[in-house]
């Protein structure tokens, strides 16, 4: 299972709303919804987010064993 809790915390720390992130990274509402529900997204999406936030994959997501 993938968790994006680190992404949501990072957005809070940087005072960025989810909708602002979507606009800055060029994400669709469908993709943002997938992130909200912890679903898989492609690596291009993760790269866009990391570029906008100046971070790495490990800063925005983690794999959780269920």
């Amino acid at each position: 299972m993938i968790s994006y809790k680190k992404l949501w915390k990072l957005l809070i720390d940087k005072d960025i709303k989810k909708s602002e992130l979507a606009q800055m990274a060029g994400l669709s509402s469908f993709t943002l919804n997938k992130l909200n529900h912890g679903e898989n997204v492609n690596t291009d999406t993760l790269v866009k987010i990391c570029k906008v936030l100046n971070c790495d994959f490990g800063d925005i997501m983690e794999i959780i064993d269920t």
Side-chain angles (χ1 to χ4, degrees):
M1 178 177 166
I2 296 174
S3 171
Y4 296 105
K5 287 182 182 180
K6 288 182 172 186
L7 171 59
W8 310 135
K9 181 172 181 344
L10 187 58
L11 291 180
I12 290 169
D13 292 345
K14 292 182 177 263
D15 196 28
I16 299 173
K17 295 179 182 167
K18 292 178 183 180
S19 58
E20 292 173 332
L21 173 66
Q23 183 179 15
M24 293 164 46
L27 307 177
S28 68
S29 57
F30 177 75
T31 300
L32 190 60
N33 190 44
K34 287 179 78 170
L35 289 165
N36 277 324
H37 290 95
E39 297 176 13
N40 291 333
V41 295
N42 65 40
T43 53
D44 290 339
T45 298
L46 298 174
V47 168
K48 288 178 185 178
I49 293 170
C50 287
K51 283 184 178 179
V52 167
L53 298 177
N54 193 31
C55 65
D56 200 353
F57 288 166
D59 298 325
I60 62 170
M61 62 178 281
E62 62 184 337
I63 298 171
I64 300 174
D65 291 331
T66 54

